[in-house]
Amino acid sequence: ILKIDTKILVILKYITHKLNDTKIMPLAYEYIEKVWRAAMHKEIGEKIYELRNTKGMTLKELGEKSNLSVSFISQAERGLT
């Protein structure tokens, strides 16, 4: 479940659809997509962090086991990648 308020996204989508403005709609949909992706990245990152800490693993240990760099894992946990 996303922590973002999806009601706002639905309202924005509805309003732009009702306006049927070809200039506004693409911008609104682009914004909705960016917000949605950011929320997904953040939630996935939080889950990675939670699981890693539950297992008592350091970033370095997870990096060694997954063949990913510590910086990549850190960025993923913070929702930056």
Side-chain angles (χ1 to χ4, degrees):
I1 298 172
L2 292 176
K3 294 177 183 167
I4 187 170
D5 189 350
T6 54
K7 291 177 185 175
I8 293 171
L9 296 177
V10 169
I11 291 167
L12 181 59
K13 189 174 181 180
Y14 176 79
I15 290 169
T16 57
H17 180 70
K18 286 294 181 184
L19 288 174
N20 200 21
D21 186 326
T22 56
K23 292 179 183 175
I24 293 174
M25 284 179 63
L27 296 174
Y29 285 122
E30 183 180 326
Y31 173 76
I32 291 168
E33 185 178 343
K34 284 181 182 179
V35 170
W36 189 260
R37 282 185 186 178
M40 289 295 292
H41 284 200
K42 184 171 171 59
E43 188 161 322
I44 292 168
E46 288 172 353
K47 189 65 175 176
I48 293 168
Y49 177 81
E50 178 186 321
L51 291 170
R52 180 176 64 78
N53 280 314
T54 299
K55 299 285 184 182
M57 295 177 73
T58 65
L59 286 169
K60 184 178 179 181
E61 290 170 332
L62 180 56
E64 289 170 354
K65 291 185 182 224
S66 65
N67 290 325
L68 297 170
S69 71
V70 169
S71 65
F72 178 81
I73 296 169
S74 176
Q75 288 176 2
E77 287 183 350
R78 293 179 283 139
L80 302 177
T81 187

